Amino acid sequence: MKILIADDSRVMRQIVTRTLRQAGYGGHELVEAADGRQAHDLTISEKPDLVLSDWNMPEMTGIEVLRALRAGGVDVPFGFVTSEGTDEMRQMAEQAGALFLITKPFTADNFTDVLGPILG
């Protein structure tokens, strides 16, 4: 299984990677994107089984990435790992087709609870 981690912070991508391992998902292939445009393009080319995206990134925001993928017919499971989690953001994410929104700081248990039903 392949997971795309999209965040403009290299450190945050490493933290998400470490947390995935702690949650028991270390055996999956991980692909990293450093901005929204790269996240969009890598989702098309790499065909991940799941996208974990930050909300605020250069080039394209996470929500713009999700909307562009859905408009292009790409139905990859997509969720947000972001520092903000307002009700408005959660509503926008859900309406755009996101499966979840995990707020930072997060724990391995948060990942297990949210990703378990998706990744099995």
Side-chain angles (χ1 to χ4, degrees):
M1 186 165 286
K2 189 183 296 188
I3 301 171
L4 176 72
I5 301 167
D7 199 301
D8 54 313
S9 165
R10 182 181 57 80
V11 171
M12 189 50 63
R13 291 193 308 271
Q14 291 173 334
I15 291 169
V16 170
T17 297
R18 184 184 72 225
T19 306
L20 282 168
R21 286 192 188 111
Q22 291 169 342
Y25 302 109
H28 299 300
E29 180 182 349
L30 304 178
V31 179
E32 294 186 15
D35 63 47
R37 171 64 57 201
Q38 192 177 34
H40 177 271
D41 294 350
L42 284 172
T43 301
I44 302 296
S45 65
E46 293 288 327
K47 299 183 180 8
D49 300 289
L50 174 67
V51 176
L52 300 175
S53 178
D54 189 19
W55 190 283
N56 295 307
M57 296 182 289
E59 303 297 326
M60 292 174 82
T61 65
I63 196 75
E64 290 171 340
V65 172
L66 176 55
R67 287 176 178 153
L69 290 170
R70 293 299 185 257
V74 178
D75 200 30
V76 63
F78 193 106
F80 291 98
V81 179
T82 186
S83 55
E84 303 170 59
T86 66
D87 289 341
E88 181 183 355
M89 287 174 73
R90 289 180 186 281
Q91 203 169 28
M92 284 174 61
E94 190 177 317
Q95 289 171 351
L99 298 178
F100 57 85
L101 190 151
I102 299 172
T103 53
K104 302 170 190 172
F106 47 78
T107 65
D109 286 341
N110 296 136
F111 274 40
T112 301
D113 292 345
V114 171
L115 301 180
I118 298 165
L119 297 177

